[in-house]
Amino acid sequence: MKLASTAPEAGPRRHDREILALALPAFGALVAEPLFVMADSAIVGHLGTPQLAGLGVAAALLTTAVSVFVFLAYATTAAVARRVGAGDLQAAIRQGMDGIWLALLLGAVVVAVVLPTAPWLISLFGASDTVAPYGVTYLRISALGIPAMLMVLAATGVLRGLQDTRTPLYVAIGGFTLNGALNLGLVYGAGLGIAGSAWGTVIAQCAMAAVYLGVVIRGARRNGATLRPDTAGIRACAQAGVPLLVRTLSLRAILMIATAVATRLGDADIAAHQILLSLWTLLAFALDAIAIAGQAIIGRYLGAGDTEGAKALCRRMVRWGVVGGLVLGLLVVLARPVFVPLFTSDPVVEDALLPALLVLAVSQPVCGIVFVLDGVLMGAGDGRYLAGAMLLTLAVFTPSALLLPGLGGGLTALWWAMTLMMVVRMATLQLRARSGRWLVAGATR
């Protein structure tokens, strides 16, 4: 693990190099994560439609369960980066170990809840009698890998805080490759069917967690940091994560409300909405890579007491967000004739999709600012403000979205409401960034 200097050199070029060095590998790791589900879907899809449908339901539940705990990565990144900036690597790694222990505890709790309730959870999605057994099988087996998944989140946060996004990229690529090979071997070679796909994913996730632990343990031994669980440290990690959990749940609620409204608009609209949401998520990965760089670098600057450097970096990253959003929006418009046929050949779906797609493209510069400032404030450990801002955004979005069907609004109007949601987020984040109240220097906030 190479660590950047704790006394950063000023200047836009220096900032650009720092951002690129962390953002590019982070983007690769982010894109690699959803490939797990895509690989499983491609392999299981050849078993039959009921198996694929069961996988789809179970995967949606697993993705939701894991994404709720993404604060394990975010909070750990900020806390570790501050201590790196302060020049205390021993405390940085000890803080990271507390996050990993918290992930292990939370994972055990989730497994204890999911295993007995799997049939009920699958039924909530309205799975048919044919699909449900496959969904339950995949969910119960895959749930055993949740502690490893959460440990991967926390360990990724540790390495990001240590200014290392290359190792997570390599681990993600290795995990994806192992997952694909195991799935093919267990599903078809061993004849285990959908259960083989689940076991392949569990083994791959555990292998990734083991690699991460090996890296962190080597760093701990090198710097004399203890590996034992510390109750006070684990409690502090949990407390730092609560506001980010509120933020994440609020965002998930917004996306669920949008999907519920699209469902009420009709079959063609919900199909088009799912395409838009998938594209929105993919574009978010590119912008989120800049945000991850912001989390790591801002935390380090503040840990080193360089508030002026943090402010300058924030301004530079906002420019990156705007330019990145403009480029992505333009790509969406120009590539529209190419990728739309990949998703649908139904002219009714296309008619619903195309005008809303233009709204999505127009919103990308706003999204760029939002993702960047979100990462900056996370890196500063400003979780309470982020939680409050997202709750306010939820309060504005909910009535504007729910009233649309009654007012005769269609899918395009719904995506204007999504854009309004992002504008509200941008306004709240810019207000905080300009206030300077997030600029709290020191090894801890």
Side-chain angles (χ1 to χ4, degrees):
M1 289 180 293
K2 280 189 178 178
L3 298 181
S5 168
T6 56
E9 174 190 333
R13 290 185 179 178
R14 171 66 177 180
H15 290 158
D16 290 345
R17 286 197 296 270
E18 287 183 304
I19 294 166
L20 276 174
L22 293 177
L24 289 178
F27 174 67
L30 287 169
V31 171
E33 289 173 9
L35 292 178
F36 272 88
V37 176
M38 290 178 63
D40 288 359
S41 299
I43 293 169
V44 171
H46 292 285
L47 294 173
T49 300
Q51 289 91 333
L52 181 59
L55 168 66
V57 174
L61 285 165
L62 288 165
T63 301
T64 300
V66 174
S67 65
V68 163
F69 296 108
V70 73
F71 70 84
L72 289 166
Y74 293 160
T76 304
T77 296
V80 171
R82 276 185 175 270
R83 286 162 175 79
V84 169
D88 192 348
L89 290 182
Q90 184 183 88
I93 295 175
R94 188 169 64 246
Q95 177 77 42
M97 284 304 305
D98 291 336
I100 291 173
W101 280 111
L102 176 62
L104 185 60
L105 292 173
L106 290 173
V109 171
V110 174
V111 171
V113 171
V114 170
L115 289 181
T117 61
W120 176 75
L121 291 170
I122 294 294
S123 70
L124 282 179
F125 276 69
S128 68
D129 293 340
T130 305
V131 169
Y134 295 111
V136 171
T137 296
Y138 190 90
L139 181 59
R140 278 184 165 156
I141 296 172
S142 295
L144 300 176
I146 287 178
M149 294 181 198
L150 299 189
M151 289 173 69
V152 165
L153 282 178
T156 300
V158 175
L159 295 182
R160 288 173 180 170
L162 293 169
Q163 317 297 294
D164 176 10
T165 56
R166 290 183 179 274
T167 299
L169 171 60
Y170 300 148
V171 174
I173 293 172
F176 169 70
T177 304
L178 178 61
N179 179 65
L182 287 171
N183 271 255
L184 285 171
L186 294 175
V187 171
Y188 298 110
L192 296 179
I194 195 170
S197 177
W199 279 118
T201 300
V202 169
I203 294 169
Q205 291 285 358
C206 290
M208 291 171 66
V211 172
Y212 274 122
L213 280 177
V215 174
V216 175
I217 287 171
R218 282 199 301 273
R221 288 175 175 168
R222 190 182 305 120
N223 293 281
T226 180
L227 300 175
R228 293 191 301 272
D230 177 68
T231 303
I234 295 172
R235 188 185 303 115
C237 287
Q239 289 172 345
V242 168
L244 295 180
L245 176 61
V246 171
R247 168 203 167 275
T248 300
L249 290 174
S250 300
L251 180 57
R252 297 294 301 184
I254 287 170
L255 298 179
M256 290 174 64
I257 290 169
T259 300
V261 170
T263 303
R264 292 169 61 188
L265 296 175
D267 291 348
D269 290 288
I270 184 58
H273 176 74
Q274 287 304 114
I275 295 171
L276 289 163
L277 202 57
S278 298
L279 180 60
W280 189 82
T281 303
L282 179 63
L283 297 175
F285 283 144
L287 298 172
D288 207 29
I290 306 174
I292 286 170
Q295 292 172 34
I297 304 172
I298 289 291
R300 194 183 89 235
Y301 272 58
L302 293 178
D306 187 359
T307 56
E308 289 302 316
K311 283 168 56 177
L313 181 67
C314 176
R315 290 192 296 269
R316 191 68 178 174
M317 294 188 75
V318 167
R319 294 192 187 98
W320 273 71
V322 172
V323 172
L326 287 170
V327 171
L328 291 176
L330 185 60
L331 284 175
V332 168
V333 174
L334 294 178
R336 180 180 52 177
V338 176
F339 69 77
V340 169
L342 297 176
F343 287 99
T344 182
S345 58
D346 187 334
V348 179
V349 175
E350 287 188 10
D351 288 343
L353 174 64
L354 294 178
L357 192 63
L358 293 177
V359 177
L360 181 148
V362 168
S363 70
Q364 287 310 297
V366 175
C367 293
I369 296 172
V370 169
F371 280 109
V372 165
L373 290 179
D374 210 36
V376 166
L377 296 183
M378 281 185 193
D382 205 7
R384 288 187 180 180
Y385 184 84
L386 290 172
M390 189 59 78
L391 286 171
L392 173 63
T393 303
L394 175 61
V396 172
F397 174 79
T398 301
S400 67
L402 294 179
L403 290 172
L404 283 175
L407 296 174
L411 186 65
T412 302
L414 175 59
W415 275 86
W416 276 119
M418 289 284 286
T419 302
L420 171 65
M421 178 267 293
M422 295 303 289
V423 168
V424 173
R425 288 186 70 188
M426 180 180 69
T428 57
L429 295 175
Q430 284 186 320
L431 182 66
R432 186 64 166 182
R434 289 172 180 171
S435 74
R437 294 178 182 175
W438 56 280
L439 291 163
V440 179
T444 58
R445 183 176 172 84

